[in-house]
Amino acid sequence: MSDWNDKIIAEFRANDGQVGGQFAGAPLLLLHTVGAKSGQPRVNPMMYQKVDGGYAVFASKGGAPTNPDWYYNLLANPRAQAEIGTDKVELVARVATGDERERIWSAQKAAYPGFADYERKTARQIPVVVLEPAP
């Protein structure tokens, strides 16, 4: 985990899910995954969008040419946990496709134009992952 992520995670936990800086006022969660190769627990802060039945997160990686590690962790082990505010939620991940993906992704770009910038920077389609409550 990077120092940058560590600082955001610490601030999130110290302030009941609120952070300042570039994420001030944005919906932020801490996604807990299990490493696809290592089997070790991982935590990543990320913006989310509330969607019917759960939350959508975006494997943008700032427009990098490759998907973030957390995305591959969820493909290998879709059971995850998220800290949202002061709540911890057990979730199951699935990748949105087709019209569902387009609807969620378009709404995210409209609400947070930085995501459109990420899309312009990369040739890959940025995955949209829907996190739904675990049964």
Side-chain angles (χ1 to χ4, degrees):
M1 195 176 330
S2 72
D3 287 342
W4 186 79
N5 277 356
D6 289 342
K7 289 176 185 171
I8 293 171
I9 291 166
E11 184 178 359
F12 182 99
R13 289 177 174 158
N15 296 295
D16 297 329
Q18 301 298 313
V19 297
Q22 73 183 66
F23 291 117
L28 193 72
L29 60 75
L30 301 182
L31 182 65
H32 295 250
T33 62
V34 174
K37 294 178 184 173
S38 70
Q40 296 300 306
R42 305 286 185 224
V43 181
N44 293 95
M46 63 190 68
M47 288 179 64
Y48 71 91
Q49 180 188 132
K50 195 107 169 76
V51 296
D52 287 342
Y55 311 90
V57 293
F58 309 91
S60 62
K61 198 176 177 182
T66 59
N67 292 319
D69 291 344
W70 65 260
Y71 173 75
Y72 296 108
N73 294 347
L74 288 175
L75 290 180
N77 184 0
R79 290 195 69 96
Q81 185 183 72
E83 293 176 56
I84 303 170
T86 57
D87 295 329
K88 288 188 179 177
V89 185
E90 297 294 327
L91 301 162
V92 177
R94 64 176 177 80
V95 178
T97 59
D99 290 343
E100 179 189 37
R101 182 207 175 270
E102 187 54 37
R103 180 176 31 79
I104 294 168
W105 180 241
S106 293
Q108 189 68 11
K109 291 187 298 181
Y112 298 95
F115 284 87
D117 293 338
Y118 302 153
E119 185 175 55
R120 283 190 288 276
K121 288 169 129 179
T122 188
R124 69 185 170 88
Q125 183 180 66
I126 293 173
V128 173
V129 179
V130 176
L131 304 168
E132 298 170 318

